[in-house]
Amino acid sequence: MPRDRNAIVDFTPFMKPHPYVVSSDSGLRRAYRLFRSMGLRHIFITEQKPVVTGVLTRKDLIGENAVRFLHD
């Protein structure tokens, strides 16, 4: 509905106040260890806090995606 397009949704109750982040110059090994040890699904990539420049997902690190990522 057109009026719903202007609706405001408060996502605050669903947000994690201190998400896991890695610096954009961190190695893939560090991100992989965080995913494995913490059971994460997403890690935010930052240049400097609190500016998020990207999101790395578990799927990005699986199989051919990781190989392609390492070669780029």
Side-chain angles (χ1 to χ4, degrees):
M1 300 186 93
R3 67 180 176 159
D4 292 339
R5 292 182 185 159
N6 296 326
I8 296 174
V9 179
D10 181 13
F11 288 108
T12 307
F14 305 102
M15 293 173 23
K16 188 170 182 172
H18 303 286
Y20 286 94
V21 298
V22 294
S23 173
S24 60
D25 60 354
S26 294
L28 181 60
R29 182 172 288 158
R30 174 168 165 66
Y32 183 78
R33 274 197 309 250
L34 279 172
F35 274 107
R36 296 283 297 178
S37 65
M38 304 305 290
L40 303 177
R41 292 183 175 214
H42 303 87
I43 294 178
F44 292 102
I45 311 298
T46 62
E47 291 277 337
Q48 57 185 161
K49 293 182 183 179
V51 178
V52 175
T53 58
V55 176
L56 184 64
T57 67
R58 185 183 299 173
K59 185 177 176 181
D60 294 327
L61 296 179
I62 294 175
E64 68 184 39
N65 290 334
V67 171
R68 183 175 40 224
F69 179 73
L70 288 171
H71 290 292
D72 286 345

